[in-house]
Each structure stands twice: as C-alpha cells, then as structure tokens.
Amino acid sequence: MADRPAPLRLGSVAPNFQADTTNGPIDLHEYIGDNWLVFFSHPEDYTPVCTTELGEFARLEPEFTKRGVKLLGLSANTLGSHEGWIKDIKDVTGSQVGFPIVADKERKIAYLYDMIDYQDTTNVDEKGIAFTIRSVFIVDPKKVIRTILSYPASTGRNSAEVLRIVDSLQTGDKHKITTPVNWVPGDDVIVHPSVKGEQATQLFPNLRAVKPYLRFTALAKDA
C-alpha cells in the first residue's frame, strides 16, 4: 500500500486534484468555486449499500443546492462502470444521479484524502487492494475542510445528518452561534462563547442564560 500523505484535519485546505468524472473532467477547487461542497466516497460500484446512498443523495440534491452546496461522489471504479451503475440507481431508487462521480480506479484520490480502510481486512478488491470507506468531507467556499465523517463499509450514511451539519455550519458562520445536541433549523441555538457581555445582549436580545457558559437564544425565522 502506498505511503499516506499528511493527515487531513478540520481546518485543513482540501487538497486539489484533477479527475475524470461522470460529468466530464474536473479540477476540484474550480468545481467548488464560491460554493460549499459535500465530497463522499464509496467502496465500489454495484454494491447494495452504496446504491441506496447515492439514490438518496440524488433525491436530496435540490435541498443541498438551495444551501449553495455542490455534491461530488467518488468510487474506485472506471467511468464506464459508473455510467452503468447510475442506471441501476435510477431503477432501484427512482432518483437520477445528476452530480459527478469521480472515477478513482487506482485509488489515487482515495489515498490523498485518506479514504482507505485499515481495520477491515476483508474490505478489499479481487487484487487485495483496500477499498475506500464511506468518507464524507464538508468543505466551505474557502476550500477549508469543516467536517470529516467516516463510516465502515457495512453502515450506510445518514444523509439527513449531512444536511443538518451543513445547516449548522452555515448558521454558525452567519450568526456567531453554535448548535446544541439534536439541533435542527428552527430550534434554539447557543450563543458562541466568544460573544461576551453587552455584545451578546445587543446581538441576541432574547438571550436566556442557563449557566454563565450556556446561553440559549432563538433566531429569527428568516435567518
């Protein structure tokens, strides 16, 4: 197995790459542009869990688009394989995949983003090469990685949770807040610890302090 690059962490700039996709060649940073990005990997084409996931992300793509988010998939197969698989996804889920899927047969991008499974030694192809795991990277318009999720091959992702994280990040960036456990848009939020004293009451006149370090507030419905 090739040597791994330096690990990616929250706050790292998403490594740029050029790749062939089902929608043509892309340069990652150009593809992101001024948008957010959800970049997610799959172990292989024509696999059961991946098929359900891609169908669901395709169904939810309009919700991501409303939030200024582009989707980008990756699977360790060829473009021809991807194109046939997309037809199966439509047959199975009723959703047409419109976002690009990267062809990463050689695992070059999977290694770049550390999407490789070290724990599950059965998660390999016929040549014994490790498959990609179910990684998710949420990247902001500055090309900074804001969230990293990793799921085992046996566990399908929660697409609603990915959308909820996007909502949390975007709301936090806009309003100087954080979001509590199980938060969804419309729920009360937490005033960011960096917002102190008079500034807090000016920004959030309905602030409710439970503890000095825990201050809840509602946001306007159009926020």
Side-chain angles (χ1 to χ4, degrees), residues 85-159:
W85 186 31
I86 285 173
K87 295 177 183 177
D88 270 13
I89 294 166
K90 177 68 181 297
D91 287 343
V92 171
T93 69
S95 298
Q96 179 65 47
V97 175
F99 53 83
I101 304 174
V102 172
D104 192 31
K105 179 67 174 175
E106 303 302 319
R107 319 286 205 274
K108 291 180 180 179
I109 297 167
Y111 283 117
L112 180 64
Y113 274 77
D114 198 20
M115 296 169 166
I116 300 299
D117 194 339
Y118 265 21
Q119 177 177 320
D120 183 0
T121 56
T122 67
N123 189 26
V124 296
D125 66 11
E126 70 278 2
K127 295 180 181 178
I129 300 173
F131 281 129
T132 50
I133 56 175
R134 301 183 196 286
S135 296
V136 181
F137 293 85
I138 299 178
V139 182
D140 71 18
K142 295 179 180 179
K143 319 303 187 286
V144 173
I145 296 172
R146 301 290 296 276
T147 300
I148 301 173
L149 303 171
S150 295
Y151 293 72
S154 59
T155 303
R157 281 163 279 218
N158 185 327
S159 55

